[in-house]
Coordinates of all heavy atoms in Angstrom, one line a residue:
M48 N 85.8 149.3 22.5 CA 84.9 149.9 23.5 C 83.7 150.4 22.7 O 83.8 151.1 21.7 CB 85.6 151.1 24.2 CG 84.8 151.6 25.4 SD 85.7 153.0 26.3 CE 87.3 152.4 26.6
S49 N 82.5 150.1 23.3 CA 81.3 150.5 22.6 C 81.0 152.0 22.7 O 81.5 152.7 23.6 CB 80.1 149.7 23.2 OG 79.8 150.2 24.5
E50 N 80.2 152.5 21.9 CA 79.8 153.9 21.9 C 79.1 154.3 23.2 O 79.3 155.3 23.8 CB 79.0 154.3 20.7 CG 79.7 154.4 19.4 CD 80.9 155.4 19.5 OE1 80.6 156.5 20.0 OE2 82.0 155.1 19.1
K51 N 78.3 153.3 23.7 CA 77.5 153.5 24.9 C 78.5 153.7 26.1 O 78.3 154.6 27.0 CB 76.6 152.3 25.2 CG 75.7 152.5 26.4 CD 74.7 151.4 26.5 CE 73.8 151.5 27.6 NZ 72.8 150.5 27.8
T52 N 79.5 152.9 26.1 CA 80.5 152.9 27.2 C 81.3 154.2 27.1 O 81.6 154.9 28.1 CB 81.5 151.7 27.1 OG1 80.8 150.5 27.2 CG2 82.5 151.8 28.2
K53 N 81.7 154.7 25.9 CA 82.4 155.9 25.7 C 81.5 157.1 26.2 O 82.0 158.0 26.9 CB 82.8 156.1 24.3 CG 83.9 155.2 23.8 CD 84.2 155.4 22.3 CE 85.2 154.4 21.8 NZ 85.5 154.6 20.4
K54 N 80.3 157.1 25.9 CA 79.4 158.1 26.3 C 79.2 158.2 27.8 O 79.3 159.2 28.4 CB 78.0 157.9 25.6 CG 77.0 159.0 25.9 CD 75.7 158.8 25.1 CE 74.7 159.9 25.4 NZ 73.4 159.7 24.7
W55 N 79.1 157.0 28.4 CA 79.0 156.9 29.9 C 80.3 157.5 30.5 O 80.2 158.3 31.5 CB 78.7 155.5 30.4 CG 78.5 155.5 31.8 CD1 77.4 155.6 32.5 CD2 79.5 155.3 32.8 NE1 77.6 155.6 33.9 CE2 78.9 155.4 34.1 CE3 80.9 155.1 32.8 CZ2 79.6 155.2 35.3 CZ3 81.6 155.0 34.0 CH2 81.0 155.0 35.2
L56 N 81.4 157.0 30.0 CA 82.7 157.5 30.6 C 82.9 159.0 30.5 O 83.3 159.6 31.5 CB 83.9 156.8 29.9 CG 84.1 155.3 30.3 CD1 85.2 154.7 29.4 CD2 84.5 155.2 31.8
A57 N 82.5 159.5 29.4 CA 82.6 161.0 29.2 C 81.7 161.7 30.2 O 82.1 162.7 30.8 CB 82.3 161.4 27.8
A58 N 80.4 161.3 30.3 CA 79.5 161.9 31.1 C 79.8 161.8 32.6 O 79.8 162.7 33.4 CB 78.1 161.4 30.9
A59 N 80.3 160.6 33.0 CA 80.7 160.3 34.4 C 81.9 161.1 34.7 O 82.1 161.7 35.8 CB 80.9 158.9 34.6
G60 N 82.8 161.2 33.8 CA 84.1 162.0 34.0 C 83.8 163.5 34.2 O 84.4 164.1 35.1
V61 N 82.9 164.0 33.4 CA 82.6 165.4 33.5 C 81.9 165.7 34.9 O 82.3 166.6 35.6 CB 81.7 165.9 32.4 CG1 81.0 167.2 32.7 CG2 82.4 165.9 31.1
R62 N 81.0 164.8 35.3 CA 80.3 165.0 36.6 C 81.3 164.9 37.7 O 81.3 165.6 38.7 CB 79.3 163.9 36.8 CG 78.0 164.2 36.0 CD 77.0 163.1 36.3 NE 75.7 163.5 35.7 CZ 74.6 163.6 36.4 NH1 74.5 163.3 37.6 NH2 73.5 163.9 35.8
A63 N 82.2 163.9 37.6 CA 83.2 163.7 38.7 C 84.2 164.9 38.8 O 84.5 165.4 39.9 CB 84.0 162.4 38.4
L64 N 84.6 165.4 37.6 CA 85.5 166.6 37.6 C 84.8 167.8 38.3 O 85.4 168.5 39.1 CB 86.0 166.9 36.2 CG 86.9 168.1 36.1 CD1 88.2 167.8 36.9 CD2 87.3 168.3 34.6
K65 N 83.5 168.0 37.9 CA 82.8 169.1 38.5 C 82.6 168.9 40.0 O 82.8 169.9 40.8 CB 81.4 169.2 37.9 CG 81.4 169.8 36.4 CD 80.0 169.8 35.9 CE 79.9 170.3 34.5 NZ 78.5 170.4 34.0
T66 N 82.4 167.7 40.4 CA 82.3 167.5 41.8 C 83.6 167.7 42.6 O 83.6 168.3 43.7 CB 81.8 166.0 42.1 OG1 80.5 165.8 41.4 CG2 81.6 165.7 43.5
V67 N 84.7 167.3 42.0 CA 86.0 167.5 42.6 C 86.2 169.0 42.8 O 86.7 169.5 43.8 CB 87.1 166.8 41.8 CG1 88.5 167.3 42.2 CG2 87.0 165.3 41.9
C68 N 86.0 169.8 41.7 CA 86.2 171.2 41.8 C 85.3 171.9 42.8 O 85.7 172.7 43.6 CB 86.0 171.8 40.4 SG 87.2 171.3 39.2
Q69 N 84.0 171.5 42.9 CA 83.1 172.0 43.9 C 83.5 171.7 45.3 O 83.5 172.6 46.2 CB 81.7 171.5 43.6 CG 81.1 172.1 42.3 CD 79.8 171.3 42.0 OE1 79.5 170.2 42.5 NE2 79.1 171.9 41.0
S70 N 84.0 170.5 45.5 CA 84.5 170.1 46.8 C 85.7 170.9 47.2 O 85.9 171.3 48.4 CB 84.8 168.6 46.9 OG 83.6 167.9 46.6
A71 N 86.6 171.1 46.3 CA 87.8 171.9 46.6 C 87.5 173.3 46.9 O 88.0 173.9 47.9 CB 88.8 171.8 45.4
V72 N 86.6 173.9 46.2 CA 86.2 175.3 46.5 C 85.5 175.4 47.9 O 85.8 176.3 48.6 CB 85.2 175.8 45.4 CG1 84.5 177.1 45.8 CG2 85.9 176.0 44.1
A73 N 84.7 174.4 48.2 CA 84.1 174.4 49.5 C 85.1 174.2 50.6 O 85.0 174.9 51.7 CB 83.0 173.3 49.6
A74 N 86.0 173.3 50.4 CA 87.1 173.1 51.5 C 88.0 174.3 51.6 O 88.3 174.7 52.8 CB 87.9 171.8 51.1
I75 N 88.3 174.9 50.5 CA 89.2 176.1 50.6 C 88.4 177.3 51.2 O 88.9 178.0 52.1 CB 89.7 176.5 49.2 CG1 90.7 175.5 48.7 CG2 90.3 177.9 49.2 CD1 91.0 175.6 47.2
G76 N 87.1 177.4 50.9 CA 86.3 178.5 51.4 C 86.0 178.3 52.9 O 85.7 179.3 53.6
A77 N 86.2 177.1 53.5 CA 86.0 176.9 54.9 C 87.1 177.5 55.7 O 86.9 177.8 56.9 CB 85.9 175.4 55.2
A78 N 88.2 177.8 55.2 CA 89.3 178.5 55.9 C 89.1 180.0 56.0 O 88.6 180.6 55.0 CB 90.7 178.2 55.3
A79 N 89.5 180.6 57.1 CA 89.3 182.0 57.2 C 90.2 182.8 56.2 O 89.8 183.8 55.7 CB 89.5 182.5 58.6
V80 N 91.4 182.4 56.1 CA 92.3 183.0 55.2 C 93.1 181.9 54.4 O 93.2 180.8 54.8 CB 93.4 183.9 55.9 CG1 92.7 185.1 56.5 CG2 94.1 183.2 57.0
L81 N 93.6 182.3 53.2 CA 94.2 181.3 52.4 C 95.4 180.6 53.0 O 95.7 179.4 52.8 CB 94.6 182.0 51.0 CG 95.0 181.1 49.9 CD1 93.8 180.2 49.5 CD2 95.4 181.9 48.7
S82 N 96.1 181.3 53.9 CA 97.3 180.7 54.5 C 96.9 179.6 55.5 O 97.7 178.8 55.9 CB 98.1 181.8 55.2 OG 97.4 182.4 56.3
E83 N 95.6 179.6 55.9 CA 95.2 178.5 56.9 C 94.6 177.3 56.2 O 94.1 176.4 56.9 CB 94.1 179.2 57.8 CG 94.7 180.2 58.7 CD 93.6 180.8 59.7 OE1 92.5 180.3 59.6 OE2 93.9 181.7 60.4
V84 N 94.6 177.3 54.9 CA 94.0 176.1 54.2 C 94.8 174.9 54.4 O 96.1 174.9 54.2 CB 93.9 176.4 52.6 CG1 93.5 175.2 51.9 CG2 93.0 177.6 52.4
N85 N 94.2 173.8 54.8 CA 94.9 172.5 55.0 C 94.8 171.8 53.7 O 93.8 171.2 53.3 CB 94.2 171.7 56.1 CG 95.0 170.5 56.4 OD1 95.7 169.9 55.6 ND2 94.8 170.0 57.6
W86 N 95.9 171.9 52.8 CA 95.8 171.4 51.5 C 95.6 169.9 51.4 O 95.0 169.4 50.5 CB 97.0 171.9 50.7 CG 97.0 173.4 50.5 CD1 97.7 174.3 51.2 CD2 96.1 174.1 49.6 NE1 97.4 175.5 50.7 CE2 96.4 175.4 49.8 CE3 95.1 173.7 48.7 CZ2 95.7 176.4 49.1 CZ3 94.5 174.7 48.0 CH2 94.8 176.0 48.2
A87 N 96.2 169.2 52.4 CA 96.0 167.7 52.4 C 94.5 167.4 52.6 O 94.0 166.4 51.9 CB 96.8 167.1 53.6
V88 N 93.8 168.1 53.4 CA 92.4 167.9 53.6 C 91.6 168.2 52.3 O 90.7 167.5 51.9 CB 91.8 168.7 54.8 CG1 90.3 168.7 54.8 CG2 92.4 168.2 56.1
V89 N 92.0 169.3 51.6 CA 91.3 169.7 50.4 C 91.5 168.6 49.3 O 90.5 168.2 48.7 CB 91.9 171.1 49.9 CG1 91.4 171.4 48.5 CG2 91.6 172.2 50.8
V90 N 92.7 168.1 49.2 CA 93.0 167.1 48.2 C 92.3 165.8 48.5 O 91.6 165.2 47.6 CB 94.5 166.9 48.0 CG1 94.8 165.7 47.2 CG2 95.2 168.1 47.4
S91 N 92.3 165.4 49.8 CA 91.7 164.1 50.1 C 90.2 164.2 50.0 O 89.5 163.3 49.5 CB 92.1 163.6 51.5 OG 91.7 164.5 52.5
A92 N 89.6 165.3 50.5 CA 88.1 165.5 50.4 C 87.7 165.5 48.9 O 86.7 164.9 48.6 CB 87.7 166.7 51.1
S93 N 88.4 166.2 48.1 CA 88.1 166.4 46.7 C 88.2 165.0 46.0 O 87.4 164.7 45.1 CB 89.0 167.4 46.0 OG 88.8 168.7 46.6
A94 N 89.3 164.3 46.3 CA 89.4 163.0 45.6 C 88.3 162.0 46.0 O 87.8 161.3 45.2 CB 90.8 162.4 46.0
L95 N 88.0 162.0 47.3 CA 86.9 161.2 47.8 C 85.6 161.6 47.1 O 84.8 160.7 46.7 CB 86.7 161.3 49.3 CG 85.6 160.5 49.9 CD1 85.8 159.0 49.6 CD2 85.5 160.7 51.4
A96 N 85.3 162.8 47.0 CA 84.1 163.3 46.3 C 84.1 162.8 44.8 O 83.0 162.4 44.3 CB 84.0 164.8 46.3
G97 N 85.2 162.9 44.2 CA 85.3 162.4 42.8 C 85.0 160.9 42.7 O 84.3 160.4 41.8
I98 N 85.6 160.1 43.6 CA 85.3 158.7 43.6 C 83.8 158.4 43.9 O 83.2 157.5 43.2 CB 86.2 158.0 44.7 CG1 87.7 158.0 44.2 CG2 85.8 156.5 44.9 CD1 88.7 157.7 45.3
L99 N 83.3 159.1 44.9 CA 81.8 158.9 45.2 C 81.0 159.3 44.0 O 79.9 158.6 43.7 CB 81.5 159.7 46.4 CG 82.1 159.1 47.7 CD1 81.7 160.1 48.9 CD2 81.6 157.7 48.0
S100 N 81.4 160.3 43.3 CA 80.6 160.7 42.1 C 80.6 159.6 41.0 O 79.6 159.3 40.4 CB 81.2 162.0 41.5 OG 80.5 162.3 40.3
L101 N 81.8 159.0 40.8 CA 81.8 157.9 39.8 C 81.0 156.7 40.3 O 80.3 156.1 39.4 CB 83.3 157.5 39.6 CG 84.2 158.5 38.8 CD1 85.6 158.0 38.9 CD2 83.7 158.7 37.4
L102 N 81.1 156.4 41.5 CA 80.3 155.3 42.0 C 78.8 155.6 41.9 O 78.0 154.7 41.6 CB 80.6 155.0 43.5 CG 82.0 154.4 43.7 CD1 82.4 154.3 45.2 CD2 82.2 153.0 43.0
T103 N 78.4 156.8 42.2 CA 77.0 157.2 42.1 C 76.5 157.1 40.6 O 75.4 156.7 40.3 CB 76.7 158.6 42.6 OG1 77.1 158.6 44.0 CG2 75.3 159.0 42.5
S104 N 77.4 157.5 39.7 CA 77.1 157.5 38.3 C 76.9 156.0 37.8 O 76.3 155.8 36.8 CB 78.3 158.1 37.5 OG 78.3 159.5 37.8
A105 N 77.5 155.1 38.5 CA 77.4 153.7 38.1 C 75.9 153.2 38.1 O 75.5 152.3 37.4 CB 78.2 152.8 38.9
A106 N 75.1 153.9 39.0 CA 73.7 153.6 39.1 C 72.9 154.1 37.9 O 71.8 153.7 37.7 CB 73.1 154.2 40.4
G107 N 73.5 155.0 37.1 CA 72.8 155.5 35.9 C 72.9 157.0 35.8 O 72.9 157.7 36.8
L108 N 73.1 157.4 34.5 CA 73.1 158.8 34.3 C 72.0 159.2 33.3 O 71.8 158.5 32.3 CB 74.5 159.2 33.6 CG 75.7 159.0 34.5 CD1 77.0 159.2 33.6 CD2 75.7 160.0 35.6
P109 N 71.3 160.3 33.6 CA 70.2 160.7 32.7 C 70.7 161.0 31.3 O 70.0 160.8 30.3 CB 69.7 162.0 33.3 CG 70.2 162.0 34.7 CD 71.4 161.1 34.7
E110 N 72.0 161.4 31.2 CA 72.6 161.8 29.8 C 72.7 160.5 29.0 O 72.8 160.6 27.8 CB 73.9 162.4 30.0 CG 73.9 163.7 30.8 CD 74.3 163.5 32.3 OE1 73.9 162.5 32.8 OE2 74.8 164.4 32.8
C111 N 72.8 159.4 29.6 CA 73.1 158.1 28.9 C 71.9 157.2 28.8 O 72.0 156.0 28.5 CB 74.2 157.4 29.6 SG 75.8 158.3 29.6
R112 N 70.7 157.8 29.0 CA 69.5 156.9 28.8 C 69.3 156.5 27.4 O 69.7 157.2 26.5 CB 68.2 157.7 29.2 CG 68.0 157.7 30.7 CD 66.7 158.4 31.0 NE 67.0 159.8 30.8 CZ 66.2 160.8 31.1 NH1 64.9 160.6 31.4 NH2 66.5 162.0 30.9
D113 N 68.7 155.4 27.2 CA 68.5 154.9 25.8 C 67.4 155.8 25.2 O 66.3 155.9 25.7 CB 68.0 153.4 25.9 CG 68.0 152.8 24.6 OD1 68.4 153.4 23.6 OD2 67.4 151.7 24.5
E114 N 67.7 156.4 24.1 CA 66.8 157.3 23.4 C 65.6 156.6 22.8 O 64.6 157.1 22.5 CB 67.5 158.1 22.3 CG 68.4 159.2 22.8 CD 69.8 158.7 23.1 OE1 70.2 157.7 22.6 OE2 70.5 159.4 23.9
R115 N 65.7 155.2 22.7 CA 64.6 154.5 22.1 C 63.5 154.2 23.1 O 62.4 153.8 22.7 CB 65.1 153.1 21.5 CG 66.1 153.4 20.3 CD 66.6 152.1 19.9 NE 67.6 151.6 20.8 CZ 68.0 150.4 21.0 NH1 67.5 149.4 20.3 NH2 68.9 150.1 21.9
A116 N 63.8 154.3 24.3 CA 62.8 154.0 25.4 C 61.7 155.0 25.5 O 61.8 156.1 25.1 CB 63.5 153.8 26.7

């Protein structure tokens, strides 16, 4: 695996993980009390957000720009 690919995977992974966490916090915060949290919705929304983040990262990440350009 090339260094460029490793760098992209690391950057995209970090972005996706942050997005998953942010989505989970938003979904949990939407419930009035913790006992009313629909955990299936939290997990599915967070997973979808992570997948969308990875797909968006495929268009390019500023962290992975070619420094020679």
Side-chain angles (χ1 to χ4, degrees):
M48 187 179 312
S49 72
E50 286 301 314
K51 186 175 179 180
T52 301
K53 288 179 186 178
K54 186 176 179 181
W55 184 89
L56 285 172
V61 167
R62 281 180 175 238
L64 182 60
K65 287 180 180 180
T66 301
V67 167
C68 293
Q69 290 167 348
S70 297
V72 168
I75 292 168
V80 292
L81 194 58
S82 62
E83 293 180 3
V84 173
N85 185 337
W86 292 104
V88 170
V89 171
V90 170
S91 65
S93 299
L95 178 60
I98 291 167
L99 292 174
S100 175
L101 289 173
L102 292 173
T103 302
S104 294
L108 293 171
E110 301 94 327
C111 296
R112 277 186 285 185
D113 189 10
E114 286 87 22
R115 293 177 287 155

